């Protein structure tokens, strides 16, 4: 299971989504398995060489049978529809996760071809490494200064598009510490295959220490300002993690708004 | 003089050079063969300028076969790349080249393989099944085909001159906008689809008019064969959906050519509008492809079970429901846009609802076999392959129709596996079944059954080997369109299995090729000796002789019953005892105008792609001039006299009696 | 199967209606794009700042009149009156050309004042929607011109020509209806 992030999630959202998939698949099997069995049995029983079987060439309709297979899929789909309606609302990515812990906001900018994470509460930023505290709901605010991408950490839950000029929200939470693979799921050009990042879930204490360390390292880590962002935004591939000891608090909104003007 | 076209457009890497060279060699080879056999005149008169729907149908199939080869090579190259490109090994293709290949693969398979297979079969079958001598507008029909061919030619030209789009087959902006794709690739993409798409739209209008106004006397709507019902659903979708594609491509073109702002990131464009528009064409397109396959299976299952189709009225209702619903589900292609829970849930449920009529169809097919006599011919093999794959793919589809589940599956290889299951297992298997089924109608001999079944087994085994790993890879978090990946993901073994699957499918294609060649070479062995009705058919196309005469029906049949031929045979009034009263038959003359229009259309597209404005303008003017010339031509038809029809019919009878 | 028989007419009329329906969807897509982009002025002018309602109202009256004369041409075609068809078609052509000239004037004025289609998403969608209608009008005028010459050159009005006049009339009425939507949605609602 270690290699199957979708089946072995490490966060509440991912877990709910996996369970949903299993329920839906089982419901579908209620239709699929009878179809497989019927196809096999009927074809075998009524093969041309199998003489002695009843042959009714004009038998072309039956209220009872037809009603049955309009009604049966209808029933299955009805159940699925209810599940769909409920799960769409319960797992709406823009909806905050109910939790006693105060949520952490991380602003995500998809760039050609790397991910920028701005921590507005910590006033720091990082590229291609998102450190998050375990057990804390994370509100990812997502945009792009590049073609459309899709922000996805499979082990924590589903994806959402990152689009220039627009801001989407994705609420996720990690329950177990670990390094999780994050990536762009929507093709965005030549460097797309390397547009991956690490989502590192640590304990709340470790996270605070990490953020403080970055903020303190003013000599090694530059500040994220409009000019340094512009330099960063230029296309580059397979970028190793970069850290910014401070981040312009207005930058994210400016990135979103630059296209709306 | 040459716009943006410079010598650099002809510089490629060795793989592209090899492809271009083989394309050139193939063209030269065909030309040489035609010259050697002195067949140029024959080609021009009998084929290129023909307005006969049957020949146009055959030409569609030929182009589709050629393009299937190209799309198949693309697929093998991608499978090869992903099988090796793990970790430090970046594979043998550059990222940009790989991106062009997957874009081209999608475009090829949807627009230049599946669409022409569908329209080819429509041309061959629809007029015959509805008891008509022609389509409604034979000239327009030829124009449609040739525009499609011009689009295909422009697409292939991108390989030799310049490059193709590297954006994915639907070219989402802003990636496809000038800011991120400055080359000619996206322009080629726009214009090859625009030209071919207009051909498809015109075809749709033509076949809609054909089915509505040209059915044989007695053939009320509820007497139409199931294939015709499905064709009707298809072309209604074409007529309603393709204008949206035309408009959307036009907008992207305006953005790129005139720096407008429909979909740009800057200056008030809206890229998500493109995604909405393109899928409000794109989702109906899926059903444009699969409905004809449903129609084929309805014919095939009924004929090879020697039993009438079960639940005809249910089938019609299901077809109509699918046609209607297919316009209401486009948003399920981008639940991850963040439209909100209500919108997502609505479109998710609408999507699942389509599974109901589809399920009804499958049950009806199964019950058509029930209490019938099932003959395990190759078309039936394809049907069983379809049931096995399509239900699996449908299950995956419903899974992804649940928005919250789709967040985890969207854009992954699970999605890729899903739609290949639908399009290979649904569309392609259906079209293969139809091809095998109707082949003897137009050639006078059947296809070899044994080779056909070998091809089937290769396809089905190869299919599961190629795509089950992709379903699994989806659960491993593998996305589509990766030209390489980290070794730590552990994906490589599955990619290798998928590659082996692709090779087995390729072997299946070779068997199909062998099947056709063997059947042609030893055609006497496969000769249909049954007066054009080798399968004990039920519908009107099997009532005319083989090969089908140019006028289809010497006498327009009466079709007051479903399965008119079957009923006539059962009543013992088929074949007819006495000679019918023949009448004069009017048919369209050949015309070179469609070929000329398409050639100019190609030049127009090429001119626009490379910003050679004079060429584009001159070609457009040429098209207008050709149309005006045609409108002034009052001599577009010829008459076969009743006496001549009688002579031709009796000659056909004699030649058939002489055969062993 | 002869060109003059009724069945042929039925399929031609049906086919042409099917074409008009598909064209309707093309305009539908452009209207949708306009509806989405009309607020995206990107710092440029909104519709109320650049539209001249009286001018456009004049355009509308001219097009409506041309639709009327096109109807009269169709009626003349039913009567088999060559002179009537020629006269009314010529009138329609003149009115259509005047409409197109006015539209070109308006476009030129906008482009000259720096408000061309490249200015903003709104203007892009505006020019495309109205321009596509104008392109249809231009195509209709070309069709009309060819038909006028063909009819003038022939000895009498053949059934084929009469049918073309009537189909052209359908096309022209269709463009008229599309224009009414443009007038209402783009101009009236734009100014309000």
């Amino acid at each position: 299971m270690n290699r199957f992030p979708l089946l072995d999630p490490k966060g509440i959202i991912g877990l709910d989504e996996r369970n949903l998939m299993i329920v839906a698949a089982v419901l579908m099997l209620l239709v699929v398995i009878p179809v497989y069995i019927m196809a096999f049995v009927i074809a075998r029983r009524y093969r041309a060489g199998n003489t002695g079987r009843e042959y009714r060439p004009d038998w072309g309709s039956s209220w009872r049978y037809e009603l049955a297979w309009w009604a049966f899929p209808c029933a299955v789909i009805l159940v699925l529809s209810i599940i769909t309606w409920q799960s769409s609302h319960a797992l709406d990515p823009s909806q905050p996760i109910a939790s006693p812990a105060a949520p952490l906001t991380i602003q995500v900018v998809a760039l050609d071809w790397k991910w920028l994470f701005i921590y507005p509460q910590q006033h720091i930023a990082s590229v291609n490494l998102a450190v998050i505290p375990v057990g804390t709901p994370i509100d990812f605010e997502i945009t792009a200064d590049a073609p459309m991408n899709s922000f996805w950490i499979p082990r924590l839950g589903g994806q959402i598009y990152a689009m220039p000029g627009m801001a989407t929200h994705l609420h996720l939470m990690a329950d177990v510490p670990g390094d999780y693979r994050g990536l762009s799921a929507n093709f965005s050009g030549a460097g797309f295959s390397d547009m991956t990042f690490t989502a590192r879930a640590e304990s709340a204490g470790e996270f605070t220490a990490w953020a403080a360390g970055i903020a303190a390292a003013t000599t090694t880590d530059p500040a994220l300002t409009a000019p340094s962002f512009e330099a960063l935004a230029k296309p580059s591939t397979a970028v190793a993690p970069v850290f910014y000891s401070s981040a312009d608090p207005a930058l994210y909104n400016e990135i979103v708004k630059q296209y709306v003007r | 003089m040459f716009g943006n076209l410079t010598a650099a457009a002809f510089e490629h890497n060795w793989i592209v050079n090899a492809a271009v060279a083989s394309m050139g060699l193939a063209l030269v080879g065909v030309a040489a063969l035609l010259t050697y056999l002195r067949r140029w005149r024959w080609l021009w008169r009998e084929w290129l300028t023909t307005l006969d729907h049957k020949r146009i149908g055959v030409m569609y199939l030929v182009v589709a076969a050629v393009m299937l080869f190209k799309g198949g090579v693309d697929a093998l190259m991608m499978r090869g790349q992903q099988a090796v490109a793990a970790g430090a090994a970046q594979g043998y293709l550059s990222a940009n080249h790989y991106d062009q290949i997957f874009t081209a693969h999608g475009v090829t398979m949807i627009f230049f393989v599946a669409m022409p297979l569908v329209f080819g079969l429509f041309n061959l079958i629809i007029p015959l099944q509805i008891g008509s001598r022609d389509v409604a507008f034979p000239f327009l029909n030829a124009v449609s085909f040739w525009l499609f061919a011009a689009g295909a030619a422009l697409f292939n030209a991108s390989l030799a001159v310049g490059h193709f789009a590297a954006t994915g087959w639907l070219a989402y902006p802003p990636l496809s906008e000038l800011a991120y794709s400055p080359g000619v690739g996206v322009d080629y993409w726009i214009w090859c689809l625009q030209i071919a798409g207009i051909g498809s739209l015109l075809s749709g209008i033509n076949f809609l008019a054909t089915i509505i106004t040209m059915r044989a006397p007695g053939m009320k709507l509820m007497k139409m064969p199931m294939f015709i019902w499905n064709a009707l659903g298809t072309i209604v979708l074409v007529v309603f959906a393709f204008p949206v594609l035309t408009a959307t491509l036009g907008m992207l073109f305006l953005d790129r050519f005139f720096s407008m702002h429909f979909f740009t990131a800057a200056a008030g464009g809206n890229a998500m509008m493109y995604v909405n528009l393109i899928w409000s064409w794109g989702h109906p397109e899926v059903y444009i492809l699969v409905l004809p396959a449903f129609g084929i299976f309805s014919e095939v299952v009924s004929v090879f079970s020697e039993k009438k189709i079960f639940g005809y009225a249910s089938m019609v209702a299901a077809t109509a429901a699918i046609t209607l619903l297919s316009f209401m589900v486009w948003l399920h292609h981008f639940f991850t846009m963040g439209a909100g829970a209500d919108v997502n849930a609505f479109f998710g449920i609408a999507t699942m609802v389509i599974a109901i009529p589809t399920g009804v169809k499958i049950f009806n097919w199964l019950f058509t076999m029930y209490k019938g006599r099932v003959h395990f011919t190759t078309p039936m093999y394809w049907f069983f392959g379809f049931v096995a794959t399509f239900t699996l793919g449908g299950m995956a589809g419903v899974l992804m129709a649940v928005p919250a589940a789709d967040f985890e599956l969207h854009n992954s290889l699970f999605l890729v596996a899903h739609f290949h299951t639908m399009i290979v297992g649904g569309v392609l298997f259906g079209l293969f079944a139809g091809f095998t089924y109707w082949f003897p109608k137009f050639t006078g001999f059947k296809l070899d059954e044994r080779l056909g079944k070998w091809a089937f087994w290769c396809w089905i085994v190869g299919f599961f080997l190629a795509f089950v790993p992709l379903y699994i890879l989806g659960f491993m978090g593998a996305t589509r369109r990766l030209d390489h990946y980290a070794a730590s993901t552990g994906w490589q073994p599955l990619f290798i299995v998928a590659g082996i699957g692709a090779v087995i499918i390729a072997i299946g294609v070779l068997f199909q090729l062998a099947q056709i060649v063997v059947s042609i070479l030893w055609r006497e062995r496969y000769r249909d000796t049954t007066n054009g009705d080798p399968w004990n058919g039920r519908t009107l196309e099997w009532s005319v002789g083989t090969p089908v005469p140019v006028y289809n029906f010497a006498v327009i049949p009466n079709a007051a019953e479903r399965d008119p031929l079957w009923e006539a045979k059962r009543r013992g009034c088929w074949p007819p005892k006495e000679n019918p009263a023949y009448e004069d038959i009017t048919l369209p003359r050949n015309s070179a105008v469609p070929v000329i229009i398409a050639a100019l259309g190609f030049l127009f597209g090429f001119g626009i792609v490379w910003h050679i404005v004079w060429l584009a303008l001159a070609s457009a003017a040429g098209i207008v001039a050709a149309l005006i010339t045609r409108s002034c031509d009052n001599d577009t038809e010829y008459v076969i006299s009743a006496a001549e029809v009688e002579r031709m019919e009796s000659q056909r009878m004699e030649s058939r009696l002489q055969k062993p | 199967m002869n060109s003059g028989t009724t069945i042929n007419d039925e399929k031609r009329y049906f086919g042409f209606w099917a074409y008009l329906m598909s064209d309707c969807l093309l305009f539908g897509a452009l209207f949708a794009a306009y509806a989405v982009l009309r607020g995206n002025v990107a710092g440029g002018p909104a519709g109320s700042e650049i539209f001249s309602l009286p001018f456009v109202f004049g355009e509308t009256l001219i097009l409506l009149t041309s639709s009327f004369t096109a109807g009269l041409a169709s009626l003349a075609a039913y009567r088999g009156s060559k002179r009537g068809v020629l006269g009314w078609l010529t009138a329609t052509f003149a009115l259509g050309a005047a409409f197109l000239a006015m539209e070109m004037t308006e476009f030129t004025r906008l482009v000259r004042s720096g408000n061309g289609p490249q200015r903003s998403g709104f203007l892009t969608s505006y020019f495309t929607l109205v321009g596509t209608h104008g392109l249809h009008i231009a195509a209709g005028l070309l069709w009309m011109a060819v038909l006028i010459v063909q009819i003038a050159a022939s000895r009498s009005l053949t059934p084929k020509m009469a049918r073309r006049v009537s189909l052209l009339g359908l096309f022209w009425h269709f463009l008229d209806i599309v224009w009414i939507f443009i007038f209402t949605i783009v101009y009236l609602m734009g100014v309000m």
Side-chain angles (χ1 to χ4, degrees), chain B residues 17-37:
Chain B
N17 281 333
V20 172
S22 52
M23 232 161 62
L25 276 178
L27 283 177
V28 170
V30 170
L33 193 68
L34 284 167
T35 312
Y36 176 72
L37 297 172

Side-chain angles (χ1 to χ4, degrees), chain B residues 149-163:
Chain B
L154 190 63
F155 175 41
N156 287 325
S158 74
L159 201 60
V161 189
H163 55 93

